[in-house]
Amino acid sequence: MASAGKNQLLSFMDELIPTIRTALCDSVPEVRESAGLAFSTLFKSAGMQAIDEIVPTLLHALEDDKTSDTALDGLKQILSVRTTAVLPHILPKLVHLPLSAFNAHALGALAEVAGPGLDFHLGTILPALLSAMGGDDMDVQALAKEAAETVALVIDEEGVESLISELLKGVGDSQASIRRSSAYLIGYFYKNSKLSLVDEAPNMISTLIILLSDPDSDTVAVAWEALSRVVGSVPKEVLPSYIKLVRDAISTSRDKERRKKKGGPILIPGFCLPKALQPLLPIFLQGLISGSAELREQAAVGLGELIEVTSEPALKGFVIPITGPLIRIIGDRFPWQVKSAILSTLSILIRKGGMALETFPSSASNNIYQVSTG
């Protein structure tokens, strides 16, 4: 085929296409691999005719238990040599909801082969996988989750914006299961991706903090875990620049909780979990320790706001790590605005976590009480 002219080749299509189609479903892996290369050569001359007369047959074979595995590998073979041309014809067939276990498996297998070729198809494949990850069928759940993880890790720099866009849509979905699946995939992506994601981190952090007030408790737990992973991926020296956006997000989350209640203290569910403050504390403490006077003031105020929306049991383990830096800073030569913000936060800390301060050195504890009470 590679040596024949286009016109010569087209006159033998009735013989060539069935042969390659059959070979792509052969029981021998080496035959399927060779058939993929033959398909690529045929495509150069026949173009869309090669796709239109071979791909539908392979997709139909996916529905037969006897031929599904070999047909899937046949699709992988032609996808590996003609990703851009073939992918748009395969995906629509596989993403119909409810997703079957085999289709979820197939999407993961094809994603691994397609690689960055998926960049422009994330809007097709991800919604189906996110939906299936929260479905009732446990087998489909597991396979969809595995496929979604594969999709997240095979994209390149050009696909990051599309992936983030789809995940943000999912986080805002009306179904808790899709919000939860999206939050999970954000955390997985930030933990395992080799790409530089610092530029996208601020939006992710803000979004996940707001999700900590989600009405679904499972979604809150997953969002908290994702938040830990996103913050953990950011260089320490960059963290203080996030103080304002974190404060704004906490304010938004607090307002959501306020609308749910008719009085009483406003607590954000995500900050009532064990180790609740662990993701955000480094942001404020780094600002306190290394920021400008203005940034230290904002960090102290932000810490107070965070403590206010944290439950007392969740706060208990963080009282000493918070108090130490505050006391060290208040003794340094900073403007009165910084010291005022620190005193205000110490007052909140004493009110909500005073008992935990009993383990603090007695001289320091006495100083806190004396300063805060005038």
Side-chain angles (χ1 to χ4, degrees), residues 1-12 16 41-42 44-46:
M1 287 192 295
S3 302
K6 181 176 180 179
N7 291 332
Q8 294 171 307
L9 195 60
L10 291 177
S11 64
F12 288 93
L16 290 171
T41 304
L42 181 65
K44 292 179 182 178
S45 296

Side-chain angles (χ1 to χ4, degrees), residues 137-157:
D137 189 313
M138 299 302 291
D139 290 336
V140 175
Q141 270 190 37
L143 290 167
K145 179 181 176 183
E146 185 177 342
E149 292 171 349
T150 301
V151 169
L153 295 187
V154 299
I155 65 163
D156 59 12
E157 290 84 353

Side-chain angles (χ1 to χ4, degrees), residues 64-77:
D64 188 333
D65 292 341
K66 295 179 180 179
T67 58
S68 58
D69 290 337
T70 53
L72 177 59
D73 190 64
L75 286 171
K76 289 171 62 177
Q77 297 302 329

Side-chain angles (χ1 to χ4, degrees), residues 109-281:
L110 296 177
E112 197 169 356
V113 175
L118 283 177
D119 287 356
F120 301 104
H121 301 281
L122 292 173
T124 300
I125 189 171
L126 266 183
L129 291 174
L130 291 172
S131 177
M133 283 171 66
D136 296 329
D137 189 313
M138 299 302 291
D139 290 336
V140 175
Q141 270 190 37
L143 290 167
K145 179 181 176 183
E146 185 177 342
E149 292 171 349
T150 301
V151 169
L153 295 187
V154 299
I155 65 163
D156 59 12
E157 290 84 353
E158 293 183 5
V160 169
E161 185 177 349
S162 296
L163 177 64
I164 295 297
S165 176
E166 289 302 320
L167 293 176
L168 289 176
K169 286 181 188 175
V171 165
D173 196 88
S174 59
Q175 295 184 48
S177 61
I178 294 180
R179 297 196 300 272
R180 188 163 58 248
S181 298
S182 301
Y184 167 79
L185 202 56
I186 290 172
Y188 181 86
F189 183 47
Y190 267 83
K191 182 181 180 182
N192 297 284
S193 177
K194 304 301 182 185
L195 302 175
S196 175
L197 302 171
V198 174
D199 290 344
E200 289 74 23
N203 197 9
M204 292 292 98
I205 291 172
S206 179
T207 298
L208 291 168
I209 290 173
I210 295 172
L211 201 61
L212 293 179
S213 63
D214 196 272
D216 178 68
S217 59
D218 291 336
T219 300
V220 169
V222 174
W224 183 90
E225 182 67 32
L227 180 62
S228 299
R229 292 179 173 181
V230 174
V231 174
S233 73
V234 178
K236 184 171 62 174
E237 61 273 13
V238 178
L239 292 177
S241 65
Y242 296 162
I243 288 174
K244 184 181 184 306
L245 75 90
V246 169
R247 290 183 63 198
D248 289 343
I250 290 173
S251 177
T252 301
S253 193
R254 183 181 61 233
D255 289 343
K256 286 177 65 177
E257 285 302 308
R258 182 178 288 115
R259 288 192 290 271
K260 296 178 190 176
K261 301 186 68 175
K262 295 182 179 180
I266 306 298
L267 301 177
I268 294 174
F271 298 132
C272 299
L273 299 171
K275 300 181 181 180
L277 303 188
Q278 191 168 283
L280 298 185
L281 202 54

Side-chain angles (χ1 to χ4, degrees), residues 209 212 224 227 246-247 249-251 253-254 266-268 270-272 276-285 298-312 314-315 318 322 345 348-349 352:
I209 290 173
L212 293 179
W224 183 90
L227 180 62
V246 169
R247 290 183 63 198
I250 290 173
S251 177
S253 193
R254 183 181 61 233
I266 306 298
L267 301 177
I268 294 174
F271 298 132
C272 299
L277 303 188
Q278 191 168 283
L280 298 185
L281 202 54
I283 296 175
F284 292 112
L285 292 184
Q298 294 301 313
V301 173
L303 265 176
E305 294 167 347
L306 180 60
I307 293 167
E308 286 280 23
V309 295
T310 302
S311 69
E312 293 182 15
L315 178 63
F318 295 93
I322 293 173
T345 296
I348 297 169
L349 196 58
K352 293 200 70 170

Side-chain angles (χ1 to χ4, degrees), residues 27-28 34 43 90 102 141 185 234 249 257 275 286 323 338:
S27 59
V28 180
S34 295
F43 180 81
I90 297 177
F102 182 81
Q141 270 190 37
L185 202 56
V234 178
E257 285 302 308
K275 300 181 181 180
Q286 195 64 29
T323 305
V338 176

